[in-house]
């Protein structure tokens, strides 16, 4: 793909999501090997850069010396990713700059983007085309002509799969038990951070006392004078906390969801009937969190919401994806994680039957199984159910029953509950379908969570350390003896679907990815202005946690 001139350079950069200063383009064009220089510049761009500037080009030239003709590698480090990037304009995650900012002052969004530029699967090299990596051919079980993999290098562990472990009966006591477990587990780290007291103890303290409490959010109300009243509940009782409208913490009030776990510190009023909030603490992910990475260059494709059986299922895009997986370019994609909604299901939404291509649920799974067969046999598949699947709707959702496993057995996929954690060569991935995202997006202000930036809604779940905090709304909860929806261990990657929008970014170094869908816009979605991101496959490098997006639609 020679870069013949400035126009070509501009279009190459645009295809990767960057604008460029005119002088920067001129300098790249004047280099002896513009193609290699462009690769180097892009590689060295700061994560939050939106525009390729002249100084980026200069520093790429300075740091590594002039780019010689012919030798297209950067010389130092010989990063494998250069190959992947060069082959199709795939981009690594960077800030798309909601609001066009430089990303300063908010590291939550470092690496975030909602509309990544993508490479097109249809342009992917065909099987057998040369790759600039030279993998060792093995006797692996690969069936893709261009793939060569060594299954012995893999490791895959599952945690938190509650399939077959369900004990709840839905009785009142079960709900009490599950909330108690939530408060116990999420509260333990908060209790070590503040000087806390049970609600009943606070109720008997004198006015003016300094107090702290860890509890579930029971209620959030605004007062007549514009302050906020938050009722916290623990195992002993409840206590009201007042956030004054002029305190800095007032910005956090609009993030609160009922039933999330929180710690507050403050001062009791003179009559000791209420506490004025001085500080608020969330279970959260430590800012210093260091994710684990794989020891070798290996990738995982993170997809969701296939919706086989729907008239809008994009069979052609799926087949292009499967064909691409069979190419040499995709040979490092050794894992495929599917975050729910394998099929369209029946009776999920009103009038859904008018858009069904396959009306029988078992036949939908049979068809899905046929599509799975297109995926190279050496790709390890892990999947969880979603709200369209034929398992109970209430969360946690156990993995598919024996009949459905039998139907979907062609690819020997691992079927686990929603949510579950799968650890791939040391990299833990929390898989959750994402029904609670609708609620987070509905409750929070646009800039904190929206369909266009679904990863920001995911940040909130990470901050609350719970995949579906709010009970009694959209998200249904099946009470079990423990709360399987608590995020006990900080994952390295958090993968959801459901909202049919592609978006990813990093929150305290955790990569959050919502992976879009394989279903074109339905009539219902049209009526409510949901514009789905269909036919994309985000690919994660497990050795670096960089993301590239392949487009097949
Ligand atoms: O959900 C896909 C997205 O569309 C998700 O954000 C919910 C929303 N959706 C789709 N259909 C409906 C109806 N009928 N009511 C409310 N929200 C809806 P999925 O679960 O994949 O259909
Ligand atoms: Zn869906
Ligand atoms: Fe869904």
């Amino acid at each position: 793909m020679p870069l013949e001139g400035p126009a070509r350079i501009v279009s190459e950069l645009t295809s990767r999501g960057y604008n460029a200063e005119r002088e920067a383009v001129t300098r790249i064009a004047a280099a002896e090997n513009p193609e290699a220089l462009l690769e180097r510049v892009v590689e060295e761009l700061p994560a939050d850069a939106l525009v390729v500037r002249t100084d980026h080009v200069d520093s790429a030239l300075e740091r590594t010396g002039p780019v010689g003709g012919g030798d297209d590698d950067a010389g130092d480090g010989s990063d494998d990713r250069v190959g992947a990037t060069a082959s199709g304009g795939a981009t690594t995650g960077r800030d798309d700059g909601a609001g066009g900012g430089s990303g300063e002052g908010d590291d939550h969004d470092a690496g975030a983007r909602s509309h990544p530029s993508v490479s097109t699967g249809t342009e992917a090299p065909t099987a057998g085309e040369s790759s600039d990596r030279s993998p060792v051919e093995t006797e692996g079980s690969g069936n893709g002509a261009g793939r060569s993999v060594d299954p012995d290098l893999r490791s895959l562990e599952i945690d938190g799969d509650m399939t077959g472990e369900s004990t709840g009966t839905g009785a009142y006591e079960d709900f009490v038990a599950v909330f108690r477990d939530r408060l116990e587990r999420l509260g333990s780290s908060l209790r070590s951070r503040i000087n806390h007291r049970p609600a009943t103890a606070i109720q008997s303290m004198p006015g003016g006392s300094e107090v702290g409490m860890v509890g579930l959010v029971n209620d959030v109300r605004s007062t007549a004078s514009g302050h906020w009243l938050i009722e916290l509940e623990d195992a002993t009782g409840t206590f009201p906390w007042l956030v004054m409208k002029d305190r800095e913490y007032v910005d956090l009030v609009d993030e609160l969801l009922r039933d999330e776990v929180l710690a507050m510190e403050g001062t009791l009023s003179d009559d000791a009937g209420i506490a004025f909030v001085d500080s608020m603490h969330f279970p959260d992910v430590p800012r210093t969190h260091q994710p684990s990475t794989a020891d070798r260059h290996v990738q995982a494709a993170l997809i969701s919401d296939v919706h086989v059986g729907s008239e809008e299922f994009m069979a052609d895009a799926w087949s292009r994806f499967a064909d691409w997986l069979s190419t040499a370019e995709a040979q490092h994609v050794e894992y495929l994680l599917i975050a729910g909604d394998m099929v369209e299901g029946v009776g999920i939404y009103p009038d859904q039957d008018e858009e069904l291509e396959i009306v029988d649920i078992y036949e939908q799974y049979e068809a899905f199984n046929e599509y799975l067969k297109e995926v190279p046999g050496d790709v390890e598949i892990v999947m969880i159910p979603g709200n369209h699947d034929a398992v109970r709707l209430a969360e946690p959702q156990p993995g598919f029953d024996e009949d459905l496993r039998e139907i979907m057995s062609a690819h020997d996929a691992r079927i686990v509950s929603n949510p579950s954690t799968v650890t791939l060569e040391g990299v833990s991935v929390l898989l959750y379908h994402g029904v609670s995202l609708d609620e987070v997006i509905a409750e929070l202000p646009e800039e904190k969570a929206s369909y266009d930036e679904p990863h920001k809604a995911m940040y909130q779940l990470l901050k609350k350390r719970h995949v579906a905090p709010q009970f009694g709304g959209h998200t249904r909860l099946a009470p079990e003896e423990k709360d399987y929806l608590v995020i006990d261990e900080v994952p390295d990657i958090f993968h959801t679907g459901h909202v049919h929008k592609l978006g990813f970014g990093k929150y305290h170094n955790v990569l959050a990815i919502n992976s879009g869908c394989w279903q074109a816009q339905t009539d219902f979605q049209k009526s409510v202005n949901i514009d789905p991101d269909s036919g994309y496959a985000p690919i994660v490098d497990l050795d670096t946690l960089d993301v590239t997006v392949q487009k097949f639609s």
Side-chain angles (χ1 to χ4, degrees):
M1 197 199 298
L3 292 166
E4 287 120 10
R8 187 60 214 264
I9 290 166
V10 170
S11 96
E12 184 66 21
L13 287 170
T14 329
S15 80
R16 300 177 190 206
Y18 298 107
N19 291 319
E21 285 178 3
R22 184 193 292 253
E23 179 60 22
V25 174
T26 313
R27 276 184 211 199
I28 294 174
E32 231 184 311
N33 183 342
E35 190 180 359
L37 177 58
L38 182 141
E39 293 303 337
R40 201 183 283 176
V41 169
V42 168
E43 230 192 306
E44 291 179 10
L45 277 180
D48 58 358
L50 296 167
V51 177
V52 175
R53 294 192 317 264
T54 317
D55 56 323
H56 293 140
V57 179
D58 288 346
S59 79
L61 281 166
E62 258 165 46
R63 217 168 309 162
T64 48
V67 181
D71 178 5
D72 74 346
D73 214 330
D76 61 334
S78 64
D79 188 340
D80 270 354
R81 281 174 297 141
V82 173
T85 310
S87 63
T91 60
T92 52
R94 60 177 187 81
D95 202 318
D96 202 21
S102 62
E104 273 171 26
D106 186 4
D107 70 335
H108 294 193
D109 294 341
R113 54 186 299 122
S114 51
H115 289 291
S117 59
V118 292
S119 67
T120 311
T122 46
E123 289 170 5
T126 50
E129 251 184 59
S130 74
S131 151
D132 60 343
R133 291 188 280 278
S134 40
V136 182
E137 292 284 343
T138 68
E139 298 292 315
S141 59
N143 62 2
R147 297 177 63 86
S148 66
V149 300
D150 181 356
D152 289 345
L153 296 175
R154 296 177 180 168
S155 76
L156 189 158
E157 285 161 39
I158 307 282
D159 283 300
D161 177 17
M162 51 70 66
T163 310
E165 307 280 320
S166 180
T167 55
T169 60
Y172 177 75
E173 304 80 66
D174 290 343
F175 283 99
V176 174
V178 79
F179 281 113
R180 200 160 277 187
D181 179 62
R182 177 185 302 190
L183 181 57
E184 231 7 84
R185 282 155 64 209
L186 288 177
S188 67
S189 79
L190 291 170
R191 279 184 212 103
S192 65
R193 278 149 62 184
I194 67 160
N195 186 11
H196 67 97
R197 294 277 176 274
T200 44
I202 296 174
Q203 285 160 9
S204 56
M205 286 165 80
S209 305
E210 300 285 316
V211 288
M213 180 176 166
V214 176
L216 294 154
V217 174
N218 209 20
D219 192 24
V220 181
R221 267 185 317 229
S222 60
T223 69
S225 40
H227 306 304
W228 291 94
L229 196 65
I230 299 158
E231 190 173 73
L232 280 193
E233 175 172 5
D234 67 14
T236 69
T238 64
F239 200 81
W241 293 76
L242 194 76
V243 178
M244 307 292 284
K245 63 182 172 198
D246 50 355
R247 293 302 301 258
E248 71 259 40
Y249 292 100
V250 79
D251 281 346
L252 294 175
V253 174
D254 60 20
E255 289 180 10
L256 297 183
L257 294 180
R258 252 181 304 112
D259 308 317
E260 72 172 284
V261 174
L262 202 64
M264 289 189 176
E265 289 178 301
T267 316
L268 284 186
S269 60
D270 289 346
D271 67 0
I274 202 167
F276 298 108
V277 176
D278 291 323
S279 67
M280 248 153 102
H281 308 264
F282 295 84
D284 223 328
V285 173
R287 277 176 186 277
T288 52
H289 174 70
Q290 282 304 322
S292 302
T293 51
D295 292 337
R296 64 185 181 116
H297 181 60
V298 59
Q299 298 175 312
L302 272 48
I303 65 164
S304 184
D305 295 272
V306 190
H307 289 263
V308 170
S310 159
E311 280 176 356
E312 275 75 31
F313 167 61
M314 299 167 77
D316 292 347
W318 177 271
S319 298
R320 279 194 287 271
F321 170 47
D323 288 349
W324 175 76
L325 285 174
S326 306
T327 65
E329 190 195 350
Q331 67 180 326
H332 295 287
V333 182
E334 298 193 28
Y335 303 97
L336 172 63
L337 308 183
I338 315 180
D341 287 356
M342 310 302 143
V343 300
E344 173 65 10
V346 292
I348 310 292
Y349 293 125
D351 300 328
Q352 184 203 21
D353 48 334
E354 288 166 21
E355 291 185 72
L356 285 182
E357 179 163 301
I358 306 173
V359 293
D360 180 276
I361 184 79
Y362 290 101
E363 286 175 21
Q364 291 182 358
Y365 282 103
E366 278 159 18
F368 174 68
N369 190 49
E370 293 304 309
Y371 287 109
L372 275 189
K373 283 184 190 167
E374 296 178 12
V375 174
D378 62 70
V379 174
E380 287 274 1
I381 303 180
V382 182
M383 54 198 194
I384 62 168
N387 58 312
H388 282 245
D389 285 302
V391 303
R392 77 174 183 202
L393 193 53
E395 298 174 8
Q397 296 181 286
F400 301 106
D401 68 17
E402 284 311 318
D403 288 353
L404 293 173
R405 281 170 198 254
E406 186 71 22
I407 293 176
M408 288 185 275
S409 60
H411 209 295
D412 206 18
R414 304 207 191 199
I415 292 171
V416 293
S417 63
N418 168 38
S420 287
T421 297
V422 50
T423 302
L424 307 172
E425 306 190 21
V427 180
S428 62
V429 187
L430 171 58
L431 293 170
Y432 170 62
H433 179 59
V435 169
S436 69
L437 296 172
D438 282 330
E439 223 153 42
V440 174
I441 290 168
E443 302 269 342
L444 269 61
E446 172 94 19
E447 69 278 10
K448 291 187 180 174
S450 67
Y451 285 109
D452 282 337
E453 295 181 303
H455 48 284
K456 290 193 174 171
M458 299 173 74
Y459 296 172
Q460 292 291 330
L461 300 179
L462 288 166
K463 185 170 181 178
K464 301 174 193 311
R465 292 286 287 268
H466 199 282
V467 297
Q470 185 157 294
F471 169 69
H474 218 74
T475 319
R476 296 176 199 202
L477 176 77
E480 300 290 348
E481 60 194 342
K482 70 174 254 201
D483 188 346
Y484 287 95
L485 308 178
V486 164
I487 306 176
D488 258 329
E489 302 284 331
V490 177
D492 301 314
I493 302 173
F494 183 23
H495 173 207
T496 60
H498 181 64
V499 295
H500 294 206
K501 294 297 271 186
L502 176 65
F504 57 91
K506 286 197 176 155
Y507 177 73
H508 296 185
N509 302 324
V510 178
L511 174 62
I513 299 194
N514 193 288
S515 54
C517 63
W518 297 85
Q519 182 186 37
Q521 193 181 43
T522 63
D523 284 346
F524 169 81
Q525 291 168 349
K526 209 172 287 171
S527 72
V528 294
N529 263 334
I530 297 176
D531 182 18
D533 291 325
S534 315
Y536 295 88
I539 310 291
V540 182
D541 284 8
L542 296 175
D543 47 339
T544 59
L545 302 192
D546 284 343
V547 179
T548 55
V549 175
Q550 298 288 336
K551 184 177 188 328
F552 300 98
S553 51

